[in-house]
């Protein structure tokens, strides 16, 4: 099997590159296109049929000698001509063993052809390929012994049978030539000058066959100067198809350039968007994937440039013009721009990419009538506005705000901005809300809530776990907290807290950052674990180091153990340094909260309510009215109700803390 080394491939590629580099264009001026091409052929040292050109300025013959304008064209050599030269050069290289294998050649038997040209007998021998069988000299000699044969060189025939004739015909003898018995052929050129055929009538005994040179000469006599195919002519001579026209030359038809088009990086046909398929093959109809989210700077579409047309050429060398592809404008819509390359559309902001009215746009706000089986779950890089309700079992995730005009059921809402629920939340012990801003709602029932800023409710919070990094405020006519666990770093304000006669437990905590407190506990536990491990390491290290002092050297296994223990000790010390820095930072944060933490109740705080201020507990044993709970000297104190300051509590239009 023939293989090619990487070095040979590098040389081949270099040869190709060098040849391409030799392709240089020239710009010529002449009164006619034909004269310009002839001039270029001289400059590029090649034939006219090997040239390609682009029209820089079209010429004009003028009228009565007036207004005449010369042709200006840019001409370069046809790359296919160079490719043929390169292939011929590469084919002559010696193939060596190496790392990359060529494709296995198809096995083919050897062949030979005997033709009578003029007064001579010509022989062509094609060597076998792969495991194909070679021709034998005896076969050839037997066929050469025709009645009209005068003589032939048997020794030469035997040599050629072994070496081949390299695709050419070699004279090996002579015969009694009868010109009247010669083959007759005719060359015809089609009306459109794009195809020439040769029709051969077979010779009789003693007659001459048609040679390749005879066909080429006939083509030239007809005026054919381009598109002559040596391969087709040789194939016809080798295996003549008598009394039937065979194509021997073809012109090059012009190829119009492709029009510019837009390649979109998203699905422009929304009907083709499909629901997400689960691992078991079932369709999840909650994940309809109807929203195509994009981020700022993301490429959305790219214009593929129009291509220049490639001129054609007739057999008579006449050039045929080709149309260049048409350009198109970029479909620029809202919130998109064109990148520096001048043809790529990119998003100017996060949102959903849309294709409407033939334009690419990015919409930072998504509006839906409701969230249900029709929409599926919504994940959106922007603000989501729901004009209706969010039904049970459906989720919304947004990196902007979420605004819901209706109610929220047993759902998960997650937003990096504010969340506004006009008709309240009924989580049924499975609903969950997380937001990076504030939550505004009419009421919250049986829902877990975590917000980075404030929770503002106009009616009630019932049996819910609500955590706010700043404030929890109930400010409506009822403003009732009943059951559940509420936490706020700054304060909780309501009208009534708990329920008359007890019932479900109501717990209020203020004055401590819950995440910082939780992290502090984790760090202290990790630190304690490291201290215990460090004590064990120190003991083992001390034992090994003492052994090394006494013996001066340790066995290989113990030496490796000593190195591992030393490395682990250094890791623990580095970890503890990081833990100490983080603990100090958290403790500083908690100290900052020393003056923060109050619970305001304008109405009643019922028996059984538990109030924690900075981890100190006050359990209400008798109903109390109009009270403020605060921290003082290590205890939770009660004072008269104070109106909490809400100057820094601001919300969206239509919502207020007052």
């Amino acid at each position: 099997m023939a293989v090619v080394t990487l070095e040979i491939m590098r040389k081949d590629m270099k040869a190709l590159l060098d040849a391409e580099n030799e392709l240089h264009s020239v710009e010529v001026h002449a009164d006619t296109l034909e004269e310009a091409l002839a001039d270029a052929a001289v400059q590029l040292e090649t034939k006219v049929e090997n040239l390609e050109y682009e029209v820089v300025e079209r010429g004009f013959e003028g009228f009565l000698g007036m207004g005449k304008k010369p042709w200006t064209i840019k001409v370069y050599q046809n790359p296919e001509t160079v490719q043929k030269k390169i292939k011929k050069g590469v084919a002559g290289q010696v193939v060596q063993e190496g790392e990359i294998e060529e494709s296995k050649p198809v096995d083919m038997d050897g062949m030979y052809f005997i033709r009578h040209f003029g007064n001579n007998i010509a022989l062509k021998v094609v060597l076998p390929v792969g495991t194909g069988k070679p021709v034998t000299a005896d076969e050839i000699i037997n066929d050469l012994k025709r009645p009209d044969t005068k003589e032939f060189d048997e020794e030469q025939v035997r040599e050629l049978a072994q070496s081949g004739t390299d695709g050419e015909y070699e004279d090996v003898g002579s015969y009694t030539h009868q010109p009247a018995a010669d083959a007759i052929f005719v060359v015809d050129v089609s009306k459109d000058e794009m195809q020439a055929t040769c029709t051969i009538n077979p010779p009789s005994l003693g007659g001459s066959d048609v040679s390749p040179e005879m066909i080429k000469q006939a083509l030239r006599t007809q005026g054919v100067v381009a598109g002559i195919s040596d391969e087709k002519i040789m194939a016809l001579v080798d295996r003549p198809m008598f009394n039937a026209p065979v194509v021997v030359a073809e012109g090059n038809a012009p190829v119009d350039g492709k029009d510019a088009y837009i390649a979109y990086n998203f699905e422009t046909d929304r009907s083709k968007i499909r629901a997400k398929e689960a691992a078991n093959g079932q369709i999840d109809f909650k994940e309809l994937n109807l929203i195509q989210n994009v981020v700022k700077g993301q490429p959305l579409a790219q214009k593929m440039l129009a291509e220049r047309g490639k001129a054609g050429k007739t057999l008579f060398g006449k050039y045929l013009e080709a149309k260049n592809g048409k350009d198109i404008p970029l479909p620029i819509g809202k919130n998109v721009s064109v990148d520096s390359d001048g043809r790529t559309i990119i998003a100017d902001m996060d949102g959903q990419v849309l294709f409407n009215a033939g334009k690419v746009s990015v919409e930072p706000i998504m509006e839906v009538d409701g969230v249900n089986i029709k929409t599926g779950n919504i994940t959106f890089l922007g603000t989501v506005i729901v004009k209706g309700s969010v039904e049970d079992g459906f989720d919304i995730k947004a990196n902007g705000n979420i605004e819901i005009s209706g109610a929220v059921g047993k759902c998960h809402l997650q937003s990096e901005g504010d969340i506004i629920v006009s008709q309240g939340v009924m989580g049924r012990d499975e609903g969950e809300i997380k937001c990076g801003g504030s939550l505004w709602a009419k009421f919250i029932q049986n829902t877990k809530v975590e917000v980075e800023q404030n929770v503002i409710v106009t009616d009630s919070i019932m049996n819910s776990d609500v955590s706010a990094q700043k404030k929890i405020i109930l400010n409506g006519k009822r403003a009732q907290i009943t059951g559940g666990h509420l936490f706020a770093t700054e304060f909780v304000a309501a009208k009534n807290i708990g329920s008359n006669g007890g019932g479900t437990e109501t717990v209020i905590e203020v004055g401590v950052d819950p995440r910082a407190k939780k992290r502090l506990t984790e760090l202290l536990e990790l630190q304690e674990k490291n201290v215990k491990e460090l004590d064990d390491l120190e003991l083992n290290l001390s034992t090994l180091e003492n052994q090394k002092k006494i013996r001066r050297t340790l066995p290989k296994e113990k030496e490796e153990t000593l190195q591992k223990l030393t490395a682990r000790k250094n890791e623990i010390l580095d970890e503890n340094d990081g833990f100490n820095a983080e603990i100090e930072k958290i403790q500083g944060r908690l100290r900052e909260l020393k003056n923060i933490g109050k619970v305001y109740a304008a109405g009643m705080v019922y028996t059984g309510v538990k109030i924690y201020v900075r981890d100190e507990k006050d359990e209400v044993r008798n109903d109390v009215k109009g009270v403020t709970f605060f921290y003082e000297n290590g205890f939770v104190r009660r004072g008269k109700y104070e109106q909490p300051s809400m100057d820094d509590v601001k919300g969206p239009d239509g919502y207020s803390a007052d």
Side-chain angles (χ1 to χ4, degrees), residues 21 82 171 174 216 222 239 245 299 313 343 352 365 471 495 616:
N21 289 337
V82 180
D171 291 338
S174 61
K216 292 177 184 177
Q222 292 267 24
R239 294 184 176 86
K313 188 188 298 183
R343 57 194 186 97
Q352 66 171 327
I365 298 175
K471 308 173 181 69
K495 184 176 181 181
E616 297 300 326

Side-chain angles (χ1 to χ4, degrees), residues 135-142 154 157-159 161:
V135 300
T136 65
D138 291 339
E139 290 180 273
I140 300 173
I141 292 171
N142 186 56
E154 184 174 332
V157 170
R158 293 188 181 279
E159 289 178 359

Side-chain angles (χ1 to χ4, degrees), residues 276-309:
K276 186 176 181 180
E277 188 173 300
N280 60 5
Q282 294 183 341
I283 300 298
D284 185 352
F285 288 101
K286 291 184 180 179
E287 298 293 343
L288 299 180
N289 295 326
L290 296 177
I291 304 167
Q292 299 185 82
N293 287 297
V294 295
V295 297
K296 182 178 180 180
Q298 181 175 334
L300 306 177
Q302 186 177 47
K303 178 167 75 172
M304 300 303 167
L305 299 178
E307 296 179 359
R308 295 186 64 86

Side-chain angles (χ1 to χ4, degrees), residues 25 30 35 40 102 184 276 358 441 461 480 487 499 542 612 637:
S25 61
E35 290 177 4
E102 290 181 329
I184 300 173
K276 186 176 181 180
I461 297 177
Q480 175 81 32
F487 171 87
S499 59
S542 177
Y612 290 86
R637 303 292 186 182

Side-chain angles (χ1 to χ4, degrees), residues 502-518:
T504 56
E505 183 181 57
T506 303
V507 180
I508 309 292
E509 289 191 55
V510 293
V512 178
D513 185 334
R515 286 180 301 192
K517 183 179 178 182
K518 180 181 178 182

Side-chain angles (χ1 to χ4, degrees), residues 116 118 146 148 175-182 203-209:
H116 296 70
R146 282 189 2 178
D148 59 350
Y175 71 107
T176 303
H177 183 201
Q178 300 292 335
D182 287 351
S204 302
L205 185 66
S208 173
D209 293 301

Side-chain angles (χ1 to χ4, degrees), residues 31-43:
D31 291 339
T32 66
L33 181 60
E34 288 73 16
E35 290 177 4
L37 289 169
D39 185 10
V42 173
Q43 295 186 47

Side-chain angles (χ1 to χ4, degrees), residues 383-397:
T383 292
V384 176
I385 298 177
V386 182
K387 297 179 180 179
S389 298
V390 183
E391 296 184 6
D392 286 348
F394 290 92
D395 304 336
I396 301 177
K397 292 182 181 179

